[in-house]
Amino acid sequence: MMISFECEYEFDELRVFGDGMMAYGKATLVEDGDAFIVSEIALDGGTRFTRSGTGPLGSEFSRRLFNLMAVEIENSEGAQDFFNEAFANHHTPDEDHAYQEWKDRELDDKWSDRQLEAAE
């Protein structure tokens, strides 16, 4: 079972249009196989954009603006390094190990209960 991973990446001076329009904020980076995609962008000041085009500027314009910013972030070496480091430090518990720990706790509880009964 694959559990998806996501993290927030802060960006500043993200080029949106040529040299004239820059964006500042945070992007949610989501695991996509061996790489990541941007699922949401929150600009400083509260404006949010999603891959589906939700945003304050109309769905088509918001989707295009999101795509412009997402491509810049996804191709950014800084964002790639940030995601790779965050993903490497992420630990997903092993299901077999978690089950065995639970089973051990159950057995310990039963053993403790028997010890208490025998002492009474």
Side-chain angles (χ1 to χ4, degrees), residues 6-58:
E6 68 178 42
C7 60
E8 279 196 352
Y9 171 70
E10 289 189 43
F11 59 86
D12 59 351
E13 296 188 6
L14 177 71
R15 291 182 188 269
V16 180
F17 294 115
D19 294 329
M21 186 175 177
M22 301 284 195
Y24 304 84
K26 294 180 184 179
T28 302
L29 310 181
V30 178
E31 174 188 8
D32 184 34
D34 294 333
F36 70 90
I37 61 169
V38 176
S39 66
E40 182 178 271
I41 296 172
L43 300 179
D44 289 353
T47 305
R48 292 189 167 306
F49 298 94
T50 63
R51 190 166 287 284
S52 64
T54 57
L57 305 172

Side-chain angles (χ1 to χ4, degrees), residues 4 7 11 13 16 31 33 35 40 42 47 49 61 67 70 72 77 88 91 97 116-117 119:
S4 72
C7 60
F11 59 86
E13 296 188 6
V16 180
E31 174 188 8
E40 182 178 271
T47 305
F49 298 94
F61 184 73
N67 288 336
E72 287 294 317
E77 190 174 317
H91 175 67
H97 183 71
L116 288 174
E117 288 172 3

Side-chain angles (χ1 to χ4, degrees), residues 2 20 23 25-26 30-31 38-39 45 47 49 53-54 56 66 68 74-75 79 82 89 92 110 113 119:
M2 185 172 192
K26 294 180 184 179
V30 178
E31 174 188 8
V38 176
S39 66
T47 305
F49 298 94
T54 57
F66 172 87
L68 287 170
E74 291 167 357
N75 292 330
F82 176 85
N89 292 329
T92 303
K110 287 180 183 177
D113 290 344

